[in-house]
Amino acid sequence: MLLLLSRQVSLSFVKQVIPRSPVLFSKPASLNLRTFKFKVKFSTVSANATIQNIITMPERRPFVRLPTDVYPVNYGLCLKPDLIDFTFEGKLDARIEVVQGTNQIVMNCADIDIITASFAPEGGEEISATGFNYQNEDEKVTLSFPSALQKGSGSLKIDFVGELNDKMKGFYRSKYASASGEMRYAAVTQFEATDARRAFPCWDEPAIKATFDISLIVPKDRVALSNMNVIDRKPYPEDDSLVEVKFATTPIMSTYLVAFVIGEYDFVESQSSDGIMVRVYTPVGKAEQGKFALEVATKTLPFYKDYFNVPYPLPKIDLIAIADFAAGAMENWGLVTYRETALLIDPKNSCSSSRQWVALVVGHELAHQWFGNLVTMEWWTHLWLNEGFASWIEYLCVDHCFPEYDIWTQFVSADYTRALDLDALDNSHPIEVNVGHPSEVDEIFDAISYSKGASVIRMLHNYIGDEDFRKGMNAYLLKFQHKNASTEDLWDCLEQASGKPIAAVMNSWTKQMGFPIIVVDQEQQGEDRVLKISQKKFCASGPHNGEDCPSWMVPISICSSEDPACTKMKVLLDQPETTVTVPNISPEQWVKINPGTVGFYRIQYSSAMLESLLPGVRDLTLLPVDRLGLQNDLFSLARAGMISTVEVLKLMEAFVNEPNYTVWSDLSCNLGVLSSLLSHTDYHEDIQEFIRDLFTPIGLKLGWDSKPGEGHLDALLRGLVLGKLGKAGHKPTLEEARRRFKDHVEGKQILSADLRSPVYLTVLKHGDSTTLDTMFKLHKQADMQEEKNRIERVLGAISAPDLIQRVLTFALSEEVRPQDTVSVIGGVAGSSKHGRKAAWKFVKDNWEELHNRYQGGFLISRLIKLTVDGFAVDKMAAEVKSFFESHHAPAAERTVQQCCENILLNAAWLKRDAEDIHLYFLQRKAPPV
Ligand code: BES
Ligand code: ZN
């Protein structure tokens, strides 16, 4: 039986007797590959000298992977958390293999104090470790033994203690209120990417897989969960208030996927058609709110089983809502953890977009059970395989479960365009990126890995065709199951299945950053249309015109007005330019590149081609996804200075008859960007008027109340349009919003969930201190985290400077969950020019607390981006850069550079187009006679 340390061994005592002695590794200069690559390959890309001058890649941190002379086979792990003192005691009994005689074992270990360690060779005598050298910077410990450990198997025993921290990483505490309002804590884990080492000493690299036998010693009235099913539960002899819960042995797996949760939860359960027991764990008393996710999960498991043609390998899967949770969700094998808002749905109080979000997140994390958990990336350089793939297939899964969501069109607006925007920056990075130090790993959980990754997989799937794609996927999963794989391994399998040059095509997308702009011109030759197609690198500051321009292998499809939904021709552009003859196109027909907006590139049409496509926007003959794509391309061309912003404003006016939610949503987002830009000018009000004029007809058509027969997308569209009109100060919308808000607050007529965000936003934007007080009250009363978040996100819309300050103070108060502070501050920054300044000052003034709260994880990057990305004055780029030179945030280094670049781009855009935009608005008001 495992013997645990008694409670009397306090953490502080242990710290005194075992001082940490940092042993710093020195870094060979050649390890610094990424900096090198960036500088050499892309330093000449920028068309904007100012941007290049201000942004230089910083030095990367030194890093070496664990030695391979010893590896684990099985971890016997027993943990005893103390939910009152916030400490835990642990006992590791690992079966290890010594590959080569050594008297040292190097493992990962962080924020843990080792009490004793010993090694016993199989059938031999136990040797106690005589030294534990902590290399804190490297998050490693070296155990030294008085004599050499011989080649062969043995057992490594380590007793240790740690803190249940409040940083949402490692083994941490999450706060919740009991039914009586008493504050209590659950103990939960978040190990990806590199934080299993904060819960137990281990070989914390994805390729070092082992099996796990986990036991938890917990209060007997608490739920204890881990990756596997419970196989034994017995009283704990030393304390009759505790039980020891033992879980079945896991399959061989990576440390970052291990999980345990100890707390108070209810659940709903069901069995999927392929016999897997699925449970959704919710806060006590909220089991009903788990039903929607349960339904999605039970549909999703057989969908993936069928798609991959590989069964889910564990006997059960639990999905659990965790109150304090940094990411959206985490795919721990068999025990997937979620933010409450990514899992819980209340039929009355949840809005349509929350349902959609829950479906996507469940679809995403369950896909990882195969793609990531069963087959794992060899190193974090291939993180994109995990995240890009899951971010693509979550849409396939939701499209299967909820065809009425038209989710693929939403993909284009949510992921594809986001990725293009980020990847057009000089400070983007290739999908496959050399990473070493944990802060570099944290940094790549970004829109390149997720959204560009998903977008290039979507393009690849389209290039290969579903049948061969599935064949290749199946071969990949079978070949590498319970093992690790790299990007090349996937290309090999897909190449075998399809007979197409997958590696050659895909390497151009994953190994170099950026993407091309496809320049197209046409000529009619008899019955045929001859297209001249060329590519060059697209940069947010304009296209790349240098000699060393990178190029891509670009799958290009072409359609015509004869059938806009049907691809007439496909070519693979594998050189800078080519000529394509499309047969049988009469002169009056239009020709379009990239139907479905699947290819990961922007397009610049000749004036004549563009002219011929525009009527298709107004008369809706172009597909929604292509109307969206065309508008988005032109918007980004305007930002890059390749066309005038006025041209885009004119195009936007052609959307007045637009019925499609996603098209509106993308348009609205771009108008938001423009509105934010023009907030730096004296005619900000003019763009509000433009927005009001554009959205009024659709607003009138939709009205405030849902009509019989309406569906999911109508609900989303109504919320979007009313919110946009309200924010832009459309009087009738403001009045109706105020009326409905009053009724809601007085309990006369509760607002439907879908109307709450737009109404809250509208009344706050044009509200006073009473409105803000009322919102704070609604926030306090809200029982659902979804409602609290809904309020938190719009609080920043309040206009008066003193009230903005109250919102910022609220962001850091106990009322806001630590992970949600970011969206409150971001909401302030995104709402107005004054808000942006105030939010930035607030971040600077509270930097220590914020940085400490997130321990430099990915939330700090999000906070920085939300706060400073919208500035549009050159000197702010310098200010931001200088602040982060003296206030280090290693995991946000690239984000800071991207933000500085964006600020300079905004400033250049404003200087270039402001006057023309102003004139255009004046002309609209008083058109020349
Ligand atoms: N593996 C990630 C969770 C994660 C994110 C761990 C960042 C460590 C750092 C998970 O699969 C994920 O991608 N979650 C997303 C939600 C998803 C639907 C895009 C998230 O947390 O935002
Ligand atoms: Zn993921």
Side-chain angles (χ1 to χ4, degrees):
M1 197 197 71
L2 292 171
L3 248 183
L4 274 166
L5 296 160
S6 71
R7 268 198 205 193
Q8 284 93 318
V9 182
S10 80
L11 266 179
S12 53
F13 171 69
V14 175
K15 275 186 180 137
Q16 277 163 20
V17 292
I18 310 167
R20 294 175 182 220
S21 51
V23 180
L24 286 177
F25 287 115
S26 63
K27 169 197 67 149
S30 60
L31 270 180
N32 207 357
L33 277 179
R34 194 164 80 182
T35 317
F36 185 67
K37 197 165 156 195
F38 261 86
K39 278 188 176 154
V40 171
K41 214 162 172 197
F42 294 106
S43 62
T44 52
V45 164
S46 174
N48 185 332
T50 332
I51 290 172
Q52 274 305 302
N53 293 343
I54 201 162
I55 300 151
T56 47
M57 290 300 287
E59 282 295 303
R60 310 310 294 189
R61 292 215 203 167
F63 176 79
V64 258
R65 272 165 77 163
L66 288 171
T68 50
D69 52 358
V70 177
Y71 68 85
V73 176
N74 170 272
Y75 290 88
L77 179 63
C78 181
L79 288 162
K80 181 165 167 265
D82 185 327
L83 298 169
I84 310 291
D85 289 350
F86 306 141
T87 57
F88 62 89
E89 298 166 0
K91 236 180 168 3
L92 176 69
D93 184 351
R95 197 142 51 76
I96 63 172
E97 206 50 48
V98 179
V99 180
Q100 207 182 331
T102 174
N103 59 359
Q104 286 194 335
I105 296 179
V106 183
M107 303 167 80
N108 287 116
C109 178
D111 301 334
I112 276 182
D113 287 305
I114 294 176
I115 315 291
T116 60
S118 65
F119 175 79
E122 217 161 56
E125 219 157 271
E126 188 174 278
I127 317 167
S128 291
T130 43
F132 321 133
N133 275 337
Y134 297 94
Q135 293 105 55
N136 292 338
E137 268 293 300
D138 291 339
E139 305 183 343
K140 286 175 190 158
V141 66
T142 303
L143 309 178
S144 311
F145 294 88
S147 57
L149 317 179
Q150 299 306 313
K151 183 173 178 313
S153 315
S155 141
L156 175 71
K157 291 186 182 172
I158 303 179
D159 290 357
F160 56 94
V161 292
E163 185 196 356
L164 283 177
N165 71 72
D166 61 353
K167 311 291 181 207
M168 299 184 286
K169 61 200 244 180
F171 197 13
Y172 71 93
R173 58 187 195 260
S174 166
K175 194 164 148 182
Y176 63 94
S178 72
S180 62
E182 180 199 342
M183 277 309 153
R184 293 200 187 146
Y185 292 86
V188 305
T189 56
Q190 169 59 40
F191 289 168
E192 192 180 16
T194 54
D195 294 319
R197 64 194 66 173
R198 288 170 211 280
F200 57 100
C202 56
W203 286 261
D204 199 10
E205 295 185 2
I208 311 184
K209 290 193 175 189
T211 57
F212 286 82
D213 283 288
I214 292 172
S215 304
L216 298 171
I217 295 166
V218 301
K220 59 186 175 194
D221 58 349
R222 298 291 142 112
V223 173
L225 300 170
S226 185
N227 305 82
M228 299 297 288
N229 49 305
V230 173
I231 50 167
D232 191 22
R233 186 186 156 95
K234 56 178 186 233
Y236 183 61
E238 289 169 34
D239 183 338
D240 63 6
S241 71
L242 303 179
V243 285
E244 181 172 351
V245 183
K246 196 167 166 20
F247 300 90
T249 310
T250 69
I252 185 165
M253 65 188 283
S254 308
T255 45
Y256 81 91
L257 294 166
V258 171
F260 17 93
V261 175
I262 299 102
E264 293 174 286
Y265 298 95
D266 283 346
F267 65 84
V268 282
E269 70 178 353
S270 169
Q271 210 167 41
S272 70
S273 62
D274 51 340
I276 311 299
M277 183 51 84
V278 187
R279 280 185 178 178
V280 175
Y281 282 87
T282 72
V284 172
K286 296 186 176 178
E288 288 291 302
Q289 294 181 13
K291 281 188 165 166
F292 179 76
L294 183 66
E295 232 169 80
V296 178
T298 45
K299 268 193 200 163
T300 296
L301 286 171
F303 172 75
Y304 286 142
K305 179 185 173 197
D306 182 53
Y307 194 85
F308 296 129
N309 201 14
V310 174
Y312 173 76
L314 309 185
K316 65 96 177 174
I317 187 154
D318 296 324
L319 293 75
I320 185 164
I322 306 291
D324 294 327
F325 196 77
M330 174 64 210
E331 69 267 27
N332 317 298
W333 216 355
L335 175 56
V336 185
T337 42
Y338 294 80
R339 270 193 196 191
E340 290 186 358
T341 47
L343 192 68
L344 305 179
I345 291 295
D346 177 60
K348 270 220 190 85
N349 292 300
S350 289
C351 60
S352 304
S353 65
S354 294
R355 275 165 204 280
Q356 185 177 301
W357 179 237
V358 168
L360 284 168
V361 182
V362 170
H364 179 107
E365 305 309 337
L366 295 193
H368 278 315
Q369 307 301 308
W370 285 261
F371 210 96
N373 301 7
L374 183 62
V375 178
T376 312
M377 71 242 139
E378 198 279 328
W379 181 246
W380 298 109
T381 295
H382 306 282
L383 170 77
W384 86 276
L385 263 193
N386 259 13
E387 297 304 349
F389 186 84
S391 301
W392 169 75
I393 207 167
E394 69 185 65
Y395 283 85
L396 200 71
C397 166
V398 168
D399 196 38
H400 166 81
C401 298
F402 303 96
E404 70 277 17
Y405 287 5
D406 181 25
I407 203 73
W408 279 115
T409 308
Q410 297 196 54
F411 175 90
V412 174
S413 178
D415 285 278
Y416 171 91
T417 62
R418 195 160 78 108
L420 289 169
D421 285 341
L422 181 58
D423 205 25
L425 298 181
D426 293 339
N427 287 287
S428 181
H429 66 86
I431 280 184
E432 286 182 73
V433 55
N434 283 312
V435 282
H437 193 276
S439 67
E440 293 175 24
V441 178
D442 278 352
E443 200 173 22
I444 57 169
F445 284 85
D446 67 357
I448 296 298
S449 300
Y450 279 76
S451 299
K452 183 180 179 184
S455 299
V456 300
I457 288 174
R458 176 165 167 260
M459 174 166 72
L460 175 67
H461 175 261
N462 185 265
Y463 172 62
I464 296 181
D466 191 58
E467 201 182 314
D468 285 347
F469 186 84
R470 282 170 75 154
K471 237 195 269 167
M473 287 305 310
N474 173 251
Y476 171 81
L477 289 172
L478 290 181
K479 183 168 176 192
F480 294 100
Q481 59 181 329
H482 304 296
K483 299 198 189 93
N484 294 80
S486 67
T487 306
E488 275 69 29
D489 294 325
L490 179 61
W491 299 161
D492 283 350
C493 292
L494 291 170
E495 197 152 308
Q496 286 267 322
S498 67
K500 291 182 172 159
I502 306 302
V505 171
M506 293 310 288
N507 283 342
S508 76
W509 297 96
T510 62
K511 288 193 191 294
Q512 63 184 355
M513 71 174 194
F515 58 89
I517 176 159
I518 303 294
V519 182
V520 206
D521 201 353
Q522 65 177 7
E523 203 176 277
Q524 188 73 21
Q525 283 185 5
E527 311 258 283
D528 303 336
R529 191 74 57 90
V530 179
L531 303 180
K532 209 179 133 211
I533 299 178
S534 61
Q535 59 163 307
K536 46 189 173 181
K537 183 179 190 300
F538 180 78
C539 301
S541 54
H544 179 268
N545 286 316
E547 283 200 339
D548 58 342
C549 187
S551 80
W552 286 261
M553 301 262 276
V554 194
I556 290 189
S557 20
I558 301 161
C559 70
S560 77
S561 45
E562 196 182 10
D563 188 351
C566 168
T567 295
K568 213 172 159 82
M569 203 166 169
K570 280 187 174 184
V571 289
L572 184 65
L573 178 66
D574 54 2
Q575 51 198 323
E577 57 179 69
T578 190
T579 306
V580 179
T581 304
V582 193
N584 301 319
I585 306 269
S586 56
E588 72 283 358
Q589 280 189 44
W590 52 250
V591 163
K592 188 190 179 293
I593 308 292
N594 205 12
T597 316
V598 181
F600 193 72
Y601 47 83
R602 299 271 186 205
I603 305 171
Q604 185 179 30
Y605 292 105
S606 66
S607 324
M609 285 186 90
L610 184 59
E611 202 70 19
S612 70
L613 286 170
L614 294 184
V617 170
R618 203 177 269 277
D619 66 20
L620 309 178
T621 48
L622 268 174
L623 294 183
V625 70
D626 290 332
R627 301 198 289 274
L628 188 164
L630 193 64
Q631 177 268 138
N632 200 285
D633 271 357
L634 292 178
F635 190 79
S636 86
L637 261 56
R639 188 172 189 242
M642 296 165 67
I643 59 170
S644 162
T645 307
V646 170
E647 293 309 310
V648 186
L649 288 169
K650 284 182 189 162
L651 171 77
M652 284 175 168
E653 289 183 301
F655 282 87
V656 338
N657 298 322
E658 181 59 55
N660 185 283
Y661 159 71
T662 315
V663 179
W664 274 117
S665 162
D666 200 68
L667 193 68
S668 154
C669 189
N670 286 340
L671 278 167
V673 171
L674 214 50
S675 167
S676 160
L677 187 76
L678 297 182
S679 69
H680 295 84
T681 70
D682 296 337
Y683 44 95
H684 185 232
E685 175 46 32
D686 291 341
I687 190 163
Q688 306 314 310
E689 188 180 336
F690 182 87
I691 293 171
R692 293 194 296 267
D693 290 351
L694 189 56
F695 280 78
T696 297
I698 181 79
L700 284 173
K701 199 167 137 200
L702 290 167
W704 278 80
D705 298 304
S706 61
K707 303 179 186 70
E710 279 190 358
H712 177 79
L713 293 167
D714 301 293
L716 292 182
L717 181 58
R718 178 173 292 109
L720 173 80
V721 170
L722 292 176
K724 202 75 185 167
L725 282 169
K727 192 172 175 209
H730 182 250
K731 284 244 163 55
T733 305
L734 173 57
E735 277 159 23
E736 185 63 10
R738 283 188 172 142
R739 192 184 69 72
R740 289 185 183 237
F741 183 65
K742 188 163 174 284
D743 284 357
H744 177 71
V745 173
E746 290 171 358
K748 281 191 198 146
Q749 176 84 53
I750 299 301
L751 278 166
S752 74
D754 281 316
L755 283 182
R756 284 184 210 165
S757 279
V759 167
Y760 295 165
L761 171 70
T762 305
V763 297
L764 271 162
K765 175 82 195 166
H766 309 280
D768 55 15
S769 64
T770 317
T771 326
L772 187 60
D773 287 337
T774 311
M775 289 309 304
F776 282 147
K777 204 166 119 202
L778 285 181
H779 184 274
K780 211 176 184 68
Q781 286 167 355
D783 180 42
M784 258 197 116
Q785 195 57 29
E786 176 184 332
E787 176 73 359
K788 286 193 193 281
N789 280 186
R790 189 153 37 229
I791 296 169
E792 287 161 4
R793 288 205 196 116
V794 294
L795 285 174
I798 198 93
S799 301
D802 57 323
L803 301 182
I804 286 181
Q805 221 44 53
R806 281 182 58 198
V807 172
L808 288 168
T809 308
F810 174 78
L812 270 183
S813 72
E814 283 281 306
E815 298 296 319
V816 178
R817 292 259 176 213
Q819 68 268 23
D820 297 324
T821 297
V822 169
S823 54
V824 182
I825 301 176
V828 171
S831 285
S832 65
K833 189 180 166 190
H834 175 77
R836 190 170 306 114
K837 276 191 185 160
W840 170 231
K841 182 170 187 313
F842 186 80
V843 167
K844 286 190 292 181
D845 291 348
N846 295 278
W847 177 251
E848 225 163 277
E849 169 159 10
L850 288 162
H851 191 256
N852 180 37
R853 177 184 283 214
Y854 301 128
Q855 293 284 297
F858 57 91
L859 281 173
I860 206 85
S861 301
R862 287 190 200 166
L863 176 69
I864 294 170
K865 186 169 170 60
L866 288 172
T867 309
V868 304
D869 225 22
F871 283 119
V873 193
D874 288 343
K875 76 170 188 349
M876 286 312 299
E879 186 185 319
V880 169
K881 178 180 184 258
S882 129
F883 179 80
F884 289 107
E885 271 166 4
S886 52
H887 299 79
H888 290 290
E893 277 171 4
R894 192 183 282 109
T895 300
V896 169
Q897 288 149 11
Q898 289 164 347
C899 290
C900 290
E901 189 176 347
N902 268 328
I903 296 171
L904 295 176
L905 287 163
N906 288 342
W909 188 13
L910 198 58
K911 275 182 223 150
R912 197 173 54 231
D913 279 6
E915 202 40 50
D916 286 352
I917 298 173
H918 191 196
L919 280 177
Y920 177 69
F921 286 145
L922 290 176
Q923 271 174 24
R924 275 186 80 242
K925 275 192 261 193
V929 250

